[in-house]
Amino acid sequence: MMLRFREDTGQPLSVHQWGSIKLARTEEDEPQLREEIDRGHALGVEVGPIDPATARAMVPWLVADRALAMWYAPGDLFLDPADLPRAYAAALANEGGRIIEHAEVTGFHISGRAVEAVQTTLGTVEAPVVVSAAGAWSRKVGELVGARLPLWPIRHQLLITEPLKEVADGQPSVRIMDAKTYVRPERGGLLFGGYEPDPLQIDLRAQPPSFDISDTPIDEGPLRRKLAEVAEEMPLLQEAPIAEVRGGLPTMTPDGHFIVDRLPDVDGFFVLTGCNVGGLSTSPALGDDLAEWIVGGHRPAALEPFGLGRFGSEYDDEDRLREACFATYAHKYDQGETVAH
Ligand SMILES: Cc1cc2nc3c(=O)[nH]c(=O)nc-3n(C[C@H](O)[C@H](O)[C@H](O)COP(=O)(O)OP(=O)(O)OC[C@H]3O[C@@H](n4cnc5c(N)ncnc54)[C@H](O)[C@@H]3O)c2cc1C
């Protein structure tokens, strides 16, 4: 969908289809990596095993000699994250849609059991259908209609180095499974991110209303520890000057899958959340399927796994929910984890 974005929406979207490499260093990860190749083939994805020399030829700063197995997927792509919502917003405006910026949703008008309007700080908007895609604030917005959404916002961070002479546009991204890290070229340097074993969790219901994602406390320490874990594979990164560290609050669910559903008790009210750090790459497909549900009246089969009903009452217990979401984050890339970061 990203590759044919202009065709579908009339808006340009700049994507970098530089491919990606995934590397297994442990005996536990090796079979999973091979399984992913089979799974990719079953889905028609171009992906296959490569050896260290081939990897090195594509990514000169990668020392892959210790790898037990690697795959390469030439079709993988990335984009500047802000470009995607910007392009969708422009496409919406083109179709006569209107975006009301800086309007905080403060409540909903419900008649009987159906939603009728959204109350905001800039006025009330009549709406027989509402989709709450409030990210880290999803629980807070859900509570406005009495819904309890099983997720937790967790800090995710990355760093970008100053330009490095060994790095060039076109080099694939690299993920190292057991270290739960990813690296790719960015602004002439390298962008490096990783899943911390003890990530910071933030309950936005307990934060002041003025809290913005940019208020997320940033800590270089966990990223430095992640860098050390891949010192052998990426010696270049160890001493590279850091230009920027940034982070945000993706929402984790107990099973690592999205929440895309209609609330059982409020007609016309849909939720789209629980991104599990994969919300950017999957949002076009999820949005498309959700639109099909709203317009056609039937839930597409592809959305069936993401219903709220799959969570048992055990997650009514706040500590249990928090622990489960924490574990989902800390075990990213492990067996059974299917969401691209
Ligand atoms: C460092 C980092 C790296 C990442 N890398 C990737 C990646 O490689 N691939 C990938 O797919 N994903 C990645 N992600 C995750 C991706 O950014 C998220 O999945 C995505 O932003 C989630 O989108 P969202 O719409 O659910 O939430 P958000 O983008 O957080 O949007 C929620 C919006 O709701 C608004 N809102 C909240 N409450 C209210 C209210 N009461 N009234 C009105 N508006 C409200 C907020 O202001 C916000 O604009 C990364 C995230 C981080 C932090």
Side-chain angles (χ1 to χ4, degrees):
M1 289 180 77
M2 287 174 183
L3 287 172
R4 49 164 227 260
F5 199 84
R6 187 196 282 267
E7 214 176 292
D8 287 351
T9 67
Q11 293 303 318
L13 181 69
S14 167
V15 295
H16 306 284
Q17 198 166 26
W18 297 352
S20 80
I21 290 172
K22 198 168 186 183
L23 187 156
R25 300 189 295 192
T26 67
E27 282 176 11
E28 295 80 57
D29 287 339
E30 188 188 349
Q32 184 191 333
L33 188 127
R34 297 197 189 283
E35 238 175 77
E36 287 175 2
I37 297 177
D38 295 342
R39 205 153 15 113
H41 289 162
L43 293 166
V45 176
E46 192 182 343
V47 55
I50 52 164
D51 58 28
T54 312
R56 187 86 192 229
M58 287 189 282
V59 188
W61 39 268
L62 175 67
V63 183
D65 308 342
R66 193 153 68 105
L68 296 183
M70 273 180 290
W71 61 237
Y72 169 57
D76 276 4
L77 58 84
F78 70 90
L79 42 68
D80 179 346
D83 275 358
L84 190 66
R86 229 182 260 134
Y88 269 120
L92 177 83
N94 246 4
E95 295 291 323
R98 188 171 155 223
I99 292 176
I100 308 172
E101 289 182 77
H102 308 296
E104 186 190 344
V105 172
T106 51
F108 298 91
H109 296 186
I110 311 285
S111 170
R113 45 173 292 147
V115 64
E116 282 195 329
V118 183
Q119 200 179 299
T120 81
T121 43
L122 295 184
T124 301
V125 181
E126 278 180 34
V129 174
V130 167
V131 179
S132 171
W137 291 265
S138 295
R139 294 187 73 185
K140 201 172 168 186
V141 174
E143 284 172 3
L144 295 174
V145 289
R148 195 176 182 284
L149 302 174
L151 56 87
W152 266 92
I154 290 187
R155 181 184 65 193
H156 184 61
Q157 311 186 105
L158 56 80
L159 62 80
I160 301 169
T161 71
E162 296 288 354
L164 301 163
K165 65 177 183 341
E166 294 83 350
V167 177
D169 286 358
Q171 292 168 349
S173 306
V174 178
R175 291 190 194 96
I176 300 193
M177 293 174 77
D178 62 297
K180 306 180 197 312
T181 55
Y182 53 88
V183 193
R184 68 164 168 80
E186 174 76 13
R187 303 194 311 229
L190 288 174
L191 176 155
F192 173 87
Y195 293 87
E196 306 166 22
D198 50 357
L200 181 73
Q201 292 179 310
I202 297 187
D203 185 354
L204 289 194
R205 296 168 304 172
Q207 297 294 324
S210 58
F211 185 92
D212 187 82
I213 287 297
S214 58
D215 297 326
T216 308
I218 296 302
D219 179 4
E220 217 176 281
L223 285 169
R224 290 255 171 227
R225 290 194 283 279
K226 282 281 159 202
L227 279 178
E229 283 183 48
V230 296
E232 208 168 309
E233 284 73 21
M234 297 175 196
L236 168 77
L237 261 175
Q238 307 305 310
E239 299 302 325
I242 295 172
E244 186 188 340
V245 181
R246 65 176 181 228
L249 292 173
T251 47
M252 306 306 291
T253 60
D255 64 1
H257 293 292
F258 315 108
I259 295 174
V260 190
D261 207 353
R262 184 166 55 191
L263 292 184
D265 301 325
V266 190
D267 292 345
F269 200 110
F270 293 80
V271 285
L272 177 59
T273 185
C275 73
N276 288 282
V277 207
L280 183 78
S281 42
T282 46
S283 56
L286 290 176
D288 202 42
D289 281 342
L290 185 57
E292 189 186 321
W293 185 356
I294 292 167
V295 174
H298 299 287
R299 175 162 70 176
L303 294 184
E304 272 166 27
F306 309 135
L308 281 162
R310 73 187 195 269
F311 300 107
S313 56
E314 69 264 33
Y315 297 119
D316 290 349
D317 180 312
E318 201 63 27
D319 290 338
R320 199 151 173 192
L321 172 65
R322 196 183 168 123
E323 271 166 33
C325 296
F326 194 86
T328 305
Y329 184 91
H331 293 290
K332 198 82 178 165
Y333 295 176
D334 285 357
Q335 187 69 32
E337 204 283 321
T338 53
V339 181
H341 77 75

